[in-house]
Amino acid sequence: MSGGSPGAAHWRRGVVPSRQASSWVAAVVCASVTAAMNAAAIRPWGLGALALVAAIPAFLAISRSRTALGGGAVAALASLGVNSVAYEPARVLFPAAYPVALAAASVPYLLVGACAARLRWAAANRFSDRASRILALAALPVLWVAAEWLPAQPAILGVWALPLGFVGYSQVGLPTAAVARLGSVAAVSLLVLAANASLAAVWLVAAWARAHGRHRSASRSHLVPLTVAALFGVVWAAGEVGSAPGRESLEFIPSESPGTRPVSSSNAGAGPDVLSIRIVQPNFPDSAYYAAQVSPAEREAMRRRLGAMVLAEAADLVVLPEAAWPGAIDLDRLPEVAATVGAVFGGSTVMFGAPARHLGGAGGLSNSVFLWGPSGLAHVYAKRRMVPIAEASLRPGSRITAATVAGVRVAPLVCYDALFPSDVRAAATAGAQVIVVVTDDAFAAVSDVPELHLTAVRMRAIEVGLPVVLASNTGPSALIAADGRVVSRLEGGRSGTLSGVIATDSSTSSYARHGDWLGGTTAVAAGGLALVAARGGSSHKRPT
């Protein structure tokens, strides 16, 4: 005699557990597909358009999750696609810390998936299962962007802020990146994720229609064209934002002869000011700098090589990369050091990176930028954002400033600084007309890190509507227009120079004027959604 309900019999025969197991497998597959597609999209492989559909599998899996843990696991696994690439510098610098960084970066997304699942439960108490899933899909872009934005804020995590985990970086080079002018890279992420959620909703409605035999043939034949039309609509709308008047407040004009200025900045009323720029990419290995620290002869030889590259052609401003000057410069002995620097760079105006020693060494070293020119040697900037662990011994700078070169305001940043949109905006609000980023990515020259760094710098140019000069020791170095286009570049792994001319005007972007309002708005909205999920998602009535 066998007792129990038919449901119990199903459990004994393993029917229900088998169904649950297959559901988990499908969810893992969906999350893995999203992770793989996003990883390919954010790599410098030219596949950024994949991000416009990459999140669809994970979003659909989250929207059908029956538990908060299931939704959170799917979101956390899917987030590894972007974060595994974004935190590749950690893999290069500290391989053992890389899994820790990925685990930490996935925690906010675990909460995103759990919140979306509970929101579905809450909606299921009032709406149909289909409607509750669509509402969960609608919430996911806001929750996801908040999970990207909040950990990237130094005001929240300090030196441990994680600034690279935005899916929006995948759109650099595409028209969709233009919306960064409205609200930083977070605006691009929101656009991309909203496109994914919308397409997932379209797919869900079409699947429901097929399952219920409603307009079966129509739903099948129209689904793909509708999806393609929606994607084209997203790209077109973003392109319209980017083509607004004043989009390129400053523009690079490639020039083989940077000493020739097509428009004179001294001609009042004759047009925009111009600044001829020349980047020097020394391609010195780390071993050469180590040798220069211990050997005066090697140090002098390196200075001579730098001087020869600087003096080879004339320009209003020559830019050397991060820590290009061998040896630290004592800030309390600048007049003495100026004689040495002048002997190397002559009459050129040079912006270069060097370690700065404060107060006779008592105040420690800072990763700094100096300007040599007609007025002598000046310390113009100290790096503010320290790379965790690697630069723990360095002294951070306190403010962002702009120096005037040939009538144009130039603001320098060092390496990691350029990964924070707020720092580049601070340079713009300080009056900068040109952003100069000096870096040395030699530690990761054989990885994608240098190209990813260039991608981030291009996004900064779009956000503030200013051109950016990227000077890298081992490359790539680039002249980047205000719309993020690479006007000219010098490939990595070689020494050489790159020249161009900048024409200036007074236009600025909405983000430069109003700040990161969108990121804060998504964070507040996500908090509201989390509250709704906590209060309404505790009901025993859950979708099946």
Side-chain angles (χ1 to χ4, degrees):
M1 177 177 176
S2 62
S5 66
H10 277 275
W11 275 97
R12 284 194 296 272
R13 292 197 299 269
V15 174
V16 174
S18 175
R19 183 178 302 169
Q20 290 183 333
S22 63
S23 178
W24 270 100
V25 170
V28 169
V29 170
C30 287
S32 300
V33 169
T34 290
M37 292 179 69
N38 270 333
I42 205 168
R43 290 273 181 193
W45 298 345
L47 300 175
L50 278 177
L52 294 170
V53 297
I56 292 176
F59 279 11
L60 288 172
I62 293 170
S63 74
R64 67 178 296 179
S65 175
R66 300 178 63 186
T67 66
L69 177 61
V74 171
L77 179 56
S79 73
L80 295 180
V82 171
N83 289 329
S84 64
V85 180
Y87 301 110
E88 189 162 317
R91 181 184 64 80
V92 178
L93 283 170
F94 309 106
Y98 183 57
V100 177
L102 291 184
S106 67
V107 170
Y109 301 94
L110 183 69
L111 300 177
V112 165
C115 184
R118 291 178 69 88
L119 283 171
R120 185 196 170 197
W121 305 344
N125 291 322
R126 296 189 177 185
F127 306 104
S128 67
D129 180 57
R130 176 167 54 102
S132 66
R133 289 187 65 183
I134 291 176
L135 288 173
L137 288 172
L140 273 168
V142 173
L143 294 168
W144 203 280
V145 171
E148 293 180 339
W149 186 82
L150 287 169
Q153 305 310 304
I156 298 175
L157 292 182
V159 70
W160 299 102
L162 305 171
L164 289 171
F166 288 87
V167 71
Y169 282 116
S170 65
Q171 302 304 289
V172 170
L174 297 174
T176 42
V179 299
R181 292 175 52 82
L182 302 178
S184 83
V185 65
V188 187
S189 284
L190 186 60
L191 175 69
V192 170
L193 294 167
N196 277 273
S198 299
L199 295 174
V202 169
W203 192 274
L204 184 62
V205 170
W208 179 85
R210 288 198 303 271
H212 291 76
R214 301 183 181 182
H215 310 293
R216 182 183 303 270
S217 60
S219 63
R220 288 176 175 173
S221 61
H222 294 161
L223 181 59
V224 173
L226 185 60
T227 301
V228 173
L231 287 176
F232 271 111
V234 168
V235 175
W236 176 84
E240 286 298 302
V241 172
S243 62
R247 173 179 56 127
E248 295 176 5
S249 59
L250 303 176
E251 185 60 78
F252 275 111
I253 309 166
S255 172
E256 293 299 326
S257 179
T260 301
R261 306 180 72 200
V263 180
S264 173
S265 61
S266 62
N267 294 340
D273 289 347
V274 296
L275 181 73
S276 60
I277 293 278
R278 188 159 163 269
I279 299 173
V280 173
Q281 182 173 297
N283 197 39
F284 290 158
D286 289 338
S287 57
Y289 283 102
Y290 296 146
Q293 290 178 11
V294 299
S295 170
E298 287 294 330
R299 186 159 57 247
E300 183 60 29
M302 182 176 287
R303 290 173 180 171
R304 286 198 302 269
R305 290 196 293 272
L306 287 173
M309 298 178 79
V310 166
L311 298 173
E313 294 182 64
D316 290 330
L317 179 63
V318 180
V319 182
L320 291 173
E322 175 187 9
W325 183 262
I329 294 178
D330 260 322
L331 293 183
D332 56 352
R333 296 178 56 244
L334 282 185
E336 299 173 43
V337 178
T340 303
V341 174
V344 175
F345 296 146
S348 298
T349 300
V350 185
M351 185 171 280
F352 63 96
R357 185 176 291 113
H358 296 258
L359 302 175
L365 291 174
S366 65
N367 193 343
S368 294
V369 176
F370 291 82
L371 181 65
W372 165 256
S375 300
L377 182 65
H379 177 255
V380 294
Y381 179 73
K383 183 179 182 180
R384 299 176 70 234
R385 308 298 179 188
M386 299 295 107
V387 176
I389 304 175
E391 294 182 321
S393 63
L394 294 180
R395 169 177 171 168
S398 59
R399 61 194 180 95
I400 292 174
T401 58
T404 301
V405 179
V408 176
R409 298 281 287 169
V410 180
L413 298 172
V414 179
C415 190
Y416 202 54
D417 294 327
L419 304 184
F420 293 87
S422 59
D423 282 20
V424 180
R425 178 178 179 263
T429 56
Q433 297 170 286
V434 181
I435 307 295
V436 169
V437 178
V438 298
T439 187
D440 183 2
D441 293 330
F443 74 95
V446 297
S447 70
D448 281 338
V449 169
E451 291 289 344
L452 295 170
H453 203 165
L454 173 59
T455 295
V457 171
R458 292 175 66 187
M459 183 62 78
R460 301 291 87 81
I462 299 169
E463 288 167 346
V464 296
L466 296 177
V468 179
V469 177
L470 175 63
S472 176
N473 174 34
T474 55
S477 298
L479 302 175
I480 304 164
D483 63 353
R485 288 179 299 109
V486 175
V487 176
S488 186
R489 64 176 279 164
L490 191 60
E491 298 299 333
R494 51 169 291 195
S495 61
T497 61
L498 194 62
S499 300
V501 176
I502 307 170
T504 75
D505 66 35
S506 58
S507 300
T508 56
S509 70
S510 176
Y511 171 70
R513 292 191 300 271
H514 305 300
D516 204 354
W517 61 271
L518 188 140
T521 300
T522 58
V524 171
L529 290 171
L531 183 61
V532 171
R535 292 174 63 87
S538 57
S539 169
H540 292 291
K541 180 181 177 182
R542 298 181 183 181
T544 58

